[in-house]
């Protein structure tokens, strides 16, 4: 790198800089917040000079004297450079390569790049622009030209900021849009999961809003929406994330807020909105809102599950008469209307215990991630309740929880208590099966736990409910001919399924005998639990199919028992 080449132009640079007239400040080319500029040049004099010029204009300048240093600075998210002014020739590469690399650094906004060099011919200019530069500055650097080019860049950046604002903000209410909300919430969701922080989701919708439009006109409807949005925005903390979720639906994520605290907040906003008088051209109107509230539960996979549960709570609030909040716990206990008695005729008083799979395999909070992973793998168990020394349920651990810490170097030392999820969805065994069916039918969650006096007694999944339908409800004679097992072909299919289940049971039993003989006594506990829970599932299946199928079932049970004895 020829440092001396630039020293010769130092004098002319200084002269030109003093000739600069005071710039006029315009709306789009002004530097609204102190934009940060990265100046890359191996010549200290040039770096100092450009820094001086730009600092006086209100820019914040950071300098680098080689490509690597520049890239390190660009990759450091704390800088967020809006501009880069780079020399062509650098000690460890050239400006063209630096620009190409810089364009691959992920940034939240566009970075305007000016290439400063004495290689000012057309060919080089084209190369610089093609590599990703936005503008070109020939050396010796003229202050007024530098500032003018940076201002041209600032206009582009300001335009980008305005476009981003427009894209991220709902035009009518000024609230963030759903897209930007989801981006922000995804980060908050991961933070809450990582640090096990509480978080609540409140979603609300204006009651009978269509009437406002119908009676007072669409413009009046818009006015009401703006006013509700104003009250909403003024009721939240800075850390809360809010948006206009849909037409007249709004959503808030309240970080580090428990469901109980969120309920108090939700009730306050409900009262505030009900008390707000919206002054229209020809009338003054009041509106009420209905709200749904949910918090993350162990069974939720991601944010969309949380919003979905909150939205179902909102629907429940609407159906219960509006102008109220329904929190998730209430949703769990609610049973939808069944005026025709159709649902009751299907469920016929069935309770959760009738369809659940009993819990056999539990793990303790002190077990290691290594041991439990091995246990899950050996016995193909996807999840297990975690119980303390008294047998009280304290959490649930699944393959997913184990996966999340699998990359850590010490799986022998990580205790299950560290990875298990505690916020469980539990129902008593005596609860109506219809209530659990309704819940699993409404949300994406697949499984709930059945607990009695704090102890896990069973698991009720969508699969267990379907199995209950197949083995019980669909087989009843009074359920209609189309679903009954009338057809000979169906009977043969059922027979085959039954035989298959019996064979697997026999095979598992043989495996158990072999394992007991060949494994050490230390391994017996986990192995027996795993195998027996699998056998238990099969037996439930066999018994259920016999129960609903009279003589035929008995015949197949006989063959199942025979297979077991093989
Ligand atoms: P509910 O209590 O069940 O929520 O009844 P509702 O009348 O509020 O709900 P419905 O879904 O029947 O009607 C919502 C209306 O909101 C219909 C739609 O035209 C209106 N709407 C949606 N977005 C806007 C908007 O931006 N401006 C105006 N003025 N109206 C809107
Ligand atoms: Mg509405």
């Amino acid at each position: 790198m020829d440092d001396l080449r630039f020293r010769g132009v130092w004098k002319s640079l200084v002269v030109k800089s003093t000739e600069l007239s005071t710039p006029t400040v315009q709306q789009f080319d002004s530097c609204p917040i102190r934009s940060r500029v990265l100046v890359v040049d191996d010549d200290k004099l040039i770096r100092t000079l450009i820094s001086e010029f730009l600092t006086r204009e209100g820019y914040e300048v950071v300098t680098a004297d080689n490509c690597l240093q520049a890239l390190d600075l660009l990759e450091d998210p704390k800088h967020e450079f809006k501009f880069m002014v780079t020399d062509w020739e650098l000690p460890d590469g050239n400006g063209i390569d630096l620009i190409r690399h810089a364009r691959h650094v992920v940034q939240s906004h566009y970075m305007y790049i000016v290439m400063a060099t004495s290689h000012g011919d057309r060919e080089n200019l084209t190369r610089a622009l093609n590599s990703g530069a936005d503008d070109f500055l020939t050396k010796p650097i003229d202050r007024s030209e530098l500032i003018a080019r940076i201002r041209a860049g600032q206009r582009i950046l300001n335009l980008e900021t305005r476009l981003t604002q427009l894209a991220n903000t709902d035009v009518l209410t000024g609230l963030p849009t759903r897209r930007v909300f989801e981006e922000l919430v995804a980060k908050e969701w991961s933070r809450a999961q990582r640090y096990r922080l509480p978080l609540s989701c409140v979603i609300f919708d204006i009651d009978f809003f269509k009437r406002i439009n119908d009676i007072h006109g669409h413009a009046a409807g818009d006015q009401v929406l703006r006013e509700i949005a104003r009250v909403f925005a003024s009721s939240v903390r800075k850390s809360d994330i809010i948006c206009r979720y849909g037409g007249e639906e709004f959503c808030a994520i309240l970080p580090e807020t428990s469901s109980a605290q969120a309920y108090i907040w939700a009730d306050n906003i409900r009262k505030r909105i009900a008390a707000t008088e919206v002054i229209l051209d020809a009338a003054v109107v009041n509106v009420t809102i209905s709200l749904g509230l949910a918090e993350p539960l162990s069974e939720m996979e991601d944010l969309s599950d949380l919003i979905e549960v909150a939205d179902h709570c909102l629907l429940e609030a609407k159906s219960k008469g509006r102008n109220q909040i329904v929190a998730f716990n209430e949703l769990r206990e609610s049973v939808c209307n069944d005026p025709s008695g159709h649902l009751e005729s299907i469920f016929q008083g069935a309770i959760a215990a009738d369809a659940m799979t009993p819990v056999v395999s539990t793990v303790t909070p002190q077990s290691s991630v290594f041991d439990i992973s091995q246990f899950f793998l050996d016995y193909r168990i996807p999840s297990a309740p975690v119980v303390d020394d008294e047998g009280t349920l304290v959490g649930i651990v699944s393959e997913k929880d184990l996966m999340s810490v699998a990359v850590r170097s010490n799986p022998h030392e990580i205790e299950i208590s560290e990875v298990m999820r505690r916020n469980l969805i539990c129902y008593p065994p005596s609860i109506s099966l219809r209530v659990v069916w309704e819940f699993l039918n409404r949300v994406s969650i697949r499984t709930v736990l059945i607990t009695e006096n704090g102890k896990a007694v069973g698991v009720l999944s969508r699969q267990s409910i379907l199995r209950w339908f197949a083995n019980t409800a669909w087989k009843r004679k009074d359920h209609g001919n189309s679903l009954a097992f009338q057809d000979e072909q169906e009977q043969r299919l059922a027979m085959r399924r039954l035989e298959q289940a019996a064979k697997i049971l026999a095979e598992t039993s043989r495996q158990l005998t072999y394992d007991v003989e060949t494994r050490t006594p230390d391994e017996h506990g986990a192995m027996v639990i795993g195998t027996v829970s699998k056998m238990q599932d099969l037996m439930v299946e066999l018994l259920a199919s016999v129960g609903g199928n009279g003589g035929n079932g008995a015949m197949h049970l006989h063959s199942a028992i025979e297979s077991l004895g093989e």
Side-chain angles (χ1 to χ4, degrees):
M1 179 78 235
D2 184 8
D3 279 5
L4 293 174
R5 195 173 68 229
F6 293 106
R7 305 216 188 278
V9 300
W10 168 244
K11 210 173 149 202
S12 62
L13 275 168
V14 174
V15 173
K16 282 171 187 272
S17 72
T18 54
E19 289 163 359
L20 191 77
S21 58
T22 314
T24 51
V25 179
Q26 289 172 9
Q27 197 194 346
F28 286 112
D29 58 5
S30 61
C31 166
I33 32 161
R34 283 172 69 83
S35 293
R36 198 165 283 161
V37 187
L38 175 63
V39 174
V40 193
D41 203 303
D42 57 343
D43 188 324
K44 191 165 181 241
L45 283 176
I46 303 271
R47 288 200 306 272
T48 312
L49 197 71
I50 298 180
S51 301
E52 179 80 20
F53 292 161
L54 294 177
T55 309
R56 263 196 253 159
E57 282 297 303
Y59 292 93
E60 205 179 301
V61 179
V62 177
T63 61
D65 55 18
N66 62 57
C67 291
L68 272 181
Q69 200 189 357
L71 274 175
D72 280 349
L73 287 163
L74 285 171
E75 276 163 11
D76 184 345
K78 83 166 185 264
H79 287 304
E80 296 239 320
F81 291 106
K82 295 276 169 64
F83 292 92
M84 179 167 80
V85 180
T86 180
D87 188 15
W88 187 290
E89 280 169 31
L90 293 160
D92 54 350
N94 62 43
I96 298 278
D97 291 334
L98 173 62
I99 294 172
R100 283 208 185 98
H101 279 100
R103 285 288 179 226
H104 285 105
V105 176
V106 180
Q107 285 189 305
S108 58
H109 57 84
Y110 189 71
M111 181 171 68
Y112 195 84
I113 302 179
V114 180
M115 176 70 121
T117 180
S118 41
H119 303 293
D121 57 81
R122 183 168 302 186
E123 194 188 326
N124 283 327
L125 179 104
T126 313
R127 268 187 75 200
L129 294 176
N130 280 338
S131 70
D134 296 293
D135 204 355
F136 209 83
L137 191 64
T138 40
K139 287 180 174 178
I141 289 164
D142 176 275
R143 180 183 173 184
S144 51
E145 187 188 343
L146 168 72
I147 303 298
R149 292 196 187 276
I150 291 290
R151 284 205 185 140
Q154 188 70 58
R155 280 195 291 275
I156 305 270
L157 296 185
N158 290 355
L159 216 56
E160 189 214 13
T161 309
R162 282 191 72 206
L163 286 173
T164 311
Q165 265 169 6
L166 281 175
N168 292 347
T169 312
D170 172 50
V171 188
L172 181 71
T173 61
L175 293 181
T177 57
R178 190 165 155 176
R179 190 186 60 80
V180 65
F181 167 84
E182 279 169 358
E183 262 175 43
L184 292 171
V185 174
K187 285 186 199 144
E188 201 52 56
W189 170 270
S190 326
R191 197 173 76 91
Q193 298 285 308
R194 196 172 326 126
Y195 302 110
R196 292 165 184 269
L197 300 169
L199 176 146
S200 292
C201 171
V202 176
I203 193 155
F204 71 85
D205 179 284
I206 304 175
D207 298 328
F208 303 118
F209 183 64
K210 197 170 170 303
R211 283 189 203 160
I212 304 267
N213 278 337
D214 292 347
I215 299 169
H216 304 281
H218 212 267
D222 286 354
Q223 177 65 20
V224 171
L225 282 173
R226 269 194 291 268
E227 189 57 20
I228 300 301
R230 191 193 59 75
V231 176
F232 178 34
S234 66
S235 307
V236 293
R237 287 183 292 196
K238 242 184 166 173
S239 52
D240 298 336
I241 307 168
I242 59 171
C243 76
R244 180 180 179 195
Y245 200 71
E248 16 89 69
E249 206 173 351
F250 299 82
C251 188
I253 294 288
L254 313 173
E256 297 184 33
T257 309
S258 68
S259 179
Q261 292 164 325
Y263 196 97
I264 297 170
W265 175 82
D267 205 38
N268 276 337
I269 191 165
R270 185 187 63 79
K271 287 180 190 149
R272 267 192 83 185
I273 287 179
T276 302
E277 295 194 325
V278 186
I279 301 159
L280 305 173
D281 283 348
V284 176
V285 295
N286 285 85
V287 290
T288 60
I289 56 170
S290 301
L291 307 95
L293 190 164
E295 60 184 333
L297 296 157
S298 58
E299 290 80 355
M300 289 175 182
E301 293 279 321
D302 54 30
L303 173 78
S304 59
D305 286 348
L306 175 68
I307 295 183
E308 191 184 70
V309 173
D311 207 35
H312 281 290
C313 293
L314 165 61
L315 281 182
E316 190 66 21
K318 291 275 181 193
S319 75
K320 281 171 83 178
R322 296 175 173 81
N323 188 21
Q324 58 189 284
I325 310 161
V326 167
F328 170 71
N329 286 346
E330 299 164 61
L331 174 75
R332 235 186 322 177
E333 275 138 38
S334 72
V335 178
C336 73
N337 292 334
D338 181 26
S340 65
H342 173 66
L343 289 176
E344 205 35 64
S345 77
I346 290 175
F347 284 97
Q348 289 193 354
I351 57 171
D354 296 336
M356 72 183 191
T357 305
V359 166
V360 191
S361 42
T362 56
V363 301
T364 64
Q366 299 81 30
S367 322
S368 77
V369 161
F370 182 85
D371 289 342
I372 300 307
S373 302
Q374 205 59 53
F375 175 50
F376 279 12
L377 286 172
D378 284 353
Y379 302 104
R380 296 174 190 205
I381 296 173
S383 68
V386 185
V387 299
D388 65 11
D389 294 342
E390 272 87 53
T392 306
L393 180 72
V394 289
I396 192 163
V397 64
S398 69
E399 283 168 337
K400 193 166 176 252
D401 306 316
L402 299 174
M403 284 250 299
S404 68
V405 290
V407 288
R408 280 169 52 183
S409 58
N410 53 344
H412 288 93
E413 288 152 33
I414 308 169
E415 289 193 353
I416 288 301
S417 57
E418 212 184 301
V419 295
M420 70 186 188
R421 287 165 294 157
R422 293 159 206 270
N423 208 356
L424 308 171
I425 304 176
C426 303
Y427 285 96
S430 56
I431 196 146
S432 159
L433 184 60
R434 189 182 141 205
V435 173
V436 188
W437 168 80
E438 228 146 53
F439 175 70
L440 292 176
N441 208 21
R442 279 175 171 181
V443 299
S444 323
I445 290 164
R446 292 190 207 97
T447 312
V448 298
L449 274 171
I450 306 300
T451 53
E452 195 164 34
N453 303 324
K455 312 236 184 302
V457 292
V459 176
L460 197 45
S461 62
R462 288 189 181 152
Q463 196 185 44
S464 9
I465 294 189
L466 265 183
R467 190 192 292 143
W468 179 87
F469 270 99
N471 293 333
T472 310
W474 294 346
K475 286 186 181 165
R476 275 192 220 115
K477 286 205 167 56
D478 59 358
H479 199 274
N481 289 341
S482 60
L483 289 174
F485 273 30
Q486 305 258 323
D487 188 83
E488 206 184 306
Q489 212 180 350
E490 280 187 27
Q491 273 200 23
R492 271 208 298 276
L493 203 68
M495 227 154 80
R496 259 209 306 279
R497 265 196 233 117
L498 203 55
E499 273 166 11
Q500 231 164 15
K503 275 188 186 138
I504 298 171
L505 192 55
E507 180 57 40
T508 315
S509 154
R510 265 198 296 275
Q511 181 69 38
L512 181 66
T513 319
Y514 174 78
D515 283 348
V516 168
E517 282 165 9
T518 55
R519 298 213 180 194
T520 63
D522 284 357
E523 294 171 320
H524 281 167
M527 184 258 304
V528 169
I529 287 171
T531 315
V532 169
S533 68
K534 189 174 162 190
M535 290 170 78
Q536 189 160 12
D537 267 357
L538 285 162
M539 287 203 275
V540 169
E541 182 104 14
L542 281 168
L543 288 172
S545 52
V546 176
N549 207 18
N552 264 347
M555 189 182 86
H556 296 304
L557 181 65
H558 180 70
S559 94
I561 293 166
E562 266 189 354
S563 311
L564 257 176
E566 274 171 22

